[in-house]
Amino acid sequence: MAAARGLTTRLVRSVGPGLAVAATGVGAGDLMAAMLAGADFGLALAWAIAAGAALKLALNEGIARWQLATGTTLLEGWCRHLGRFFQGYLVVYLAVWGFVVAAGLMSACGVAAHALAPGLSIRGWAVAHSLMALALVLAGRYRLFEALMKVFVAVMAATLLVSAALAIADLGALRGLTPGLPSGSPAVVLGLIGGVGGSVTLLSYGYWIRERGWAGGGRLPEVRFDLAVGYLVTALIAVAMLVVAAGVLGGGGGMPEGSAGLVACGDAIGAAAAARLGPAAGDAGRLVFLLGVWGAVASSILGVWQGVPYLFADFVRARCGGEGREVDVRSWTYRGFLLYLALPPMALLALDRPVWVIRLYTVTGALFMPVLAASLLWLGSRARLVGALRNGRLATAVLALSLLLFAVLAARELADLL
């Protein structure tokens, strides 16, 4: 027993940035897509979540490999090698995406917290979560952030896996995990593949491994293990949400929007827990599920508030000729963008359309992924830039597939929005 505890402790200490990616990447859009897929198609599309996690793993491995090979972040590489037009596009996109995603995350936190504790309005909970995340980032350093994200991951994994177990009445239902493509599901498959694991936040991984002191090509195996653990957790949590929806809303019954949908799922899980474990377990089952959903969105807002300001600060540093220096989290550029995320987007909350705002940030994130895949294909294939860590055949094939899939997804998301 002591040996097992020691092994677990060493494992937890050896990973960190990957778990932060998992906690940040499993957000409201992922949960919504997984629950809608489970409600409409049961467990038949669980494979799409695994495929999406694998593709995001490949993209994040490419980001990390560039940084380990060159000693510069991918964003700095963009500034050096992709020209002024791309730099202008990048800063405009980051400003727009940051505003929209911040409002979406606030709305998601408001929805989840209101379902858990309806004493405060959705808007009130949204503002409270933004200010709390702002305070934690301003007061803490990376080590505190990583420790908090590990706690969030543990809470999400435990609560949502328990909820999934309660939602499935018998193991025979798991036969639906056989890969399939039911009628009417291709668009949902694209959404699952594109949604799981984050979008712009993938770039934050480079700054988190730098905070950990991971540098040089010799760290690549460590980084790959860290990312594998992170995306395994991401896939497990998303599949758990799909299983929950399949178990309590399956058969094409659909799901109500906003906190009403979460409450409906929670009530159904509570009923299942009461039927299987006794009446006293009903309220506990409901709270376990709602706590897991809240942990997923609360960890996302903390991860974005901590990780995305690095991007703006790094962009300004690179444009001003500051290559070779790490981003200072106390700088005006980092803290200024942090305040930009935490405060102005509250204006969108006045629309009182939380689900629409969440949808909008999912669309803006999808527009970024083809650009990321294309840049990793081009920059990562140049031996004069990355040396022995250039893209291999497998990496090239996976990145090319990612580019194709994410381009199709971005076009579909944009068409649906318009």
Side-chain angles (χ1 to χ4, degrees), residues 383-400:
R384 67 179 180 83
L385 298 178
V386 295
L389 296 186
R390 67 184 181 276
N391 296 337
R393 291 181 179 177
L394 178 60
T396 300
V398 174
L399 289 172

Side-chain angles (χ1 to χ4, degrees), residues 6-23 57 142-143 145-151 153-154 205 208-209 211-212 214 219-233:
L7 179 60
T8 301
T9 300
R10 288 195 297 273
L11 176 62
V12 170
R13 288 177 177 173
S14 67
V15 298
L19 292 179
V21 166
L57 169 60
Y142 174 76
R143 287 292 183 180
F145 164 73
E146 185 180 292
L148 288 173
M149 296 303 261
K150 287 179 178 180
V151 171
V153 166
Y205 185 75
W208 292 336
I209 64 174
E211 293 280 6
R212 263 296 192 105
W214 293 353
R219 291 284 195 172
L220 186 57
E222 193 171 4
V223 164
R224 284 173 170 166
F225 177 75
D226 180 60
L227 284 171
V229 172
Y231 280 101
L232 176 61
V233 171

Side-chain angles (χ1 to χ4, degrees), residues 51-116:
L55 290 179
K56 296 294 178 67
L57 169 60
L59 289 169
N60 227 327
E61 190 270 351
I63 293 170
R65 185 156 37 83
W66 166 272
Q67 184 164 314
L68 295 177
T70 64
T72 65
T73 63
L74 182 63
L75 192 146
E76 189 174 335
W78 288 348
C79 289
R80 287 185 179 185
H81 303 291
L82 297 185
R84 295 187 176 225
F85 176 81
F86 183 82
Q87 294 172 29
Y89 160 82
L90 177 64
V91 72
V92 170
Y93 178 84
L94 187 60
V96 173
W97 178 89
F99 190 89
V100 172
V101 77
L105 286 172
M106 291 180 206
S107 296
C109 289
V111 168
H114 184 263
L116 188 61

Side-chain angles (χ1 to χ4, degrees), residues 201-299:
T201 52
L202 270 66
L203 294 176
S204 300
Y205 185 75
Y207 304 94
W208 292 336
I209 64 174
R210 181 175 281 179
E211 293 280 6
R212 263 296 192 105
W214 293 353
R219 291 284 195 172
L220 186 57
E222 193 171 4
V223 164
R224 284 173 170 166
F225 177 75
D226 180 60
L227 284 171
V229 172
Y231 280 101
L232 176 61
V233 171
T234 297
L236 284 175
I237 292 172
V239 168
M241 290 299 295
L242 183 141
V243 170
V244 166
V248 301
L249 300 173
M255 184 179 73
E257 285 194 348
S259 59
L262 296 180
V263 169
C265 283
D267 289 344
I269 290 171
R276 298 176 66 181
L277 303 175
D283 287 341
R286 174 182 178 277
L287 289 175
V288 162
F289 169 73
L290 294 177
L291 181 63
V293 174
W294 172 82
V297 294
S299 62

